[in-house]
Amino acid sequence: MKIRQVSDHIYALSTWVIIPIHVWLVRAAEGLTLVDAGIGPMAGGILRTVDQLGHGPIRRILLTHGHVDHVGAIDPVLKNGDIPVLVHPEEIPCLEGDLPYPRRKKAQRTVRPGVVTPLPLSVDGMPVSPDGDAPSDGLVPYHTPGHAPGHTVWFHPEDGVLLAGDLFTSRKGQLRPPIAMFTADMAQAMRSARILEQLNPSRLEVCHGGPVRNPLEQLPGYLERYA
Ligand SMILES: [Zn+2]
Ligand SMILES: [Zn+2]
């Protein structure tokens, strides 16, 4: 497990299984938030890092989506304490195995039914932090469908960091599209990339790749090349 401090409040933890897999720990006064839960073998490293950082315990888990490489450490982390696991409601039938993800033949249960809780939605249908307008961990959700129907990115305005899950991948600091084979609707994922225009993060983190600085500067070229 590699640990990298991304910003004042955010740490990226990563492993490598054919591709890099990242999860993030976000520090707040009340404890840590885990964003995404990687694969099962990352659980030990996540819990050791929580001990080392000294800002624990983990008080909730926020998911970008329910794919198998983003949920693996949920159960072992929950063994250390009963905490909420939140995801956009559109992900729940897919991750609980009731519906296949779009373009997949078979439904696949990636999380035990009943473990995840739907993110609350505002009156206009946008996901909001479980704390409402003042998230205690500083993380604001934005629905960015395409890679998965309920794909959600988490923005930390104070640190200027966007935890983008699988909205993008990256290589050598350059934005790349999400992995096509696992992407439900690539055209929609390209439209969702425009969230960068709204948020203009100084740093972007993806699950499968390294950090990207000032990603908005790359957006026109990215859309021209891949959309
Ligand atoms: Zn994915
Ligand atoms: Zn992924």
Side-chain angles (χ1 to χ4, degrees):
M1 180 81 65
K2 265 170 64 178
I3 305 163
R4 165 171 54 88
Q5 185 160 12
V6 174
S7 60
D8 197 15
H9 296 91
I10 302 176
Y11 301 82
L13 283 57
S14 61
T15 190
W16 191 290
V17 183
I18 307 170
I19 51 172
I21 301 176
H22 288 78
V23 303
W24 300 275
L25 285 168
V26 180
R27 181 171 64 81
E30 300 83 359
L32 290 163
T33 294
L34 177 66
V35 179
D36 276 353
I39 53 171
M42 295 176 81
I46 293 170
L47 293 170
R48 275 193 299 280
T49 306
V50 168
D51 284 343
Q52 280 166 22
L53 292 177
H55 301 297
I58 296 177
R59 51 181 289 277
R60 67 178 161 217
I61 302 174
L62 304 174
L63 300 176
T64 58
H65 62 302
H67 283 167
V68 67
D69 53 326
H70 295 253
V71 299
I74 289 176
D75 272 345
V77 170
L78 290 185
K79 268 191 203 137
N80 276 37
D82 192 16
I83 53 169
V85 182
L86 289 130
V87 69
H88 191 286
E90 286 188 47
E91 288 294 293
I92 293 179
C94 300
L95 62 81
E96 291 189 345
D98 293 329
L99 279 179
Y101 273 102
R103 292 186 55 230
R104 308 304 293 175
K105 281 203 191 85
K106 280 192 196 151
Q108 184 193 9
R109 176 176 294 172
T110 58
V111 180
R112 279 184 297 120
V115 166
V116 296
T117 308
L119 275 174
L121 300 179
S122 67
V123 281
D124 50 0
M126 301 310 284
V128 292
S129 164
D131 307 325
D133 287 342
S136 57
D137 52 17
L139 290 164
V140 185
Y142 292 87
H143 187 207
T144 48
H147 176 70
H151 190 280
T152 297
V153 295
W154 293 90
F155 187 45
H156 195 290
E158 191 184 342
D159 287 11
V161 175
L162 183 63
L163 303 178
D166 286 357
L167 176 58
F168 303 99
T169 58
S170 73
R171 235 181 105 94
K172 295 183 176 156
Q174 299 295 306
L175 290 178
R176 295 283 179 94
I179 300 170
M181 198 173 121
F182 301 113
T183 296
D185 184 337
M186 189 62 87
Q188 193 182 36
M190 290 292 152
R191 291 194 294 277
S192 287
R194 292 190 178 275
I195 191 71
L196 297 180
E197 293 170 340
Q198 188 181 334
L199 304 176
N200 191 14
S202 55
R203 286 159 182 263
L204 177 131
E205 288 275 320
V206 297
C207 183
H208 309 302
V212 178
R213 284 174 178 271
N214 301 316
L216 179 58
E217 289 175 2
Q218 294 183 32
L219 184 66
Y222 172 84
L223 292 174
E224 195 178 347
R225 186 161 174 199
Y226 301 112

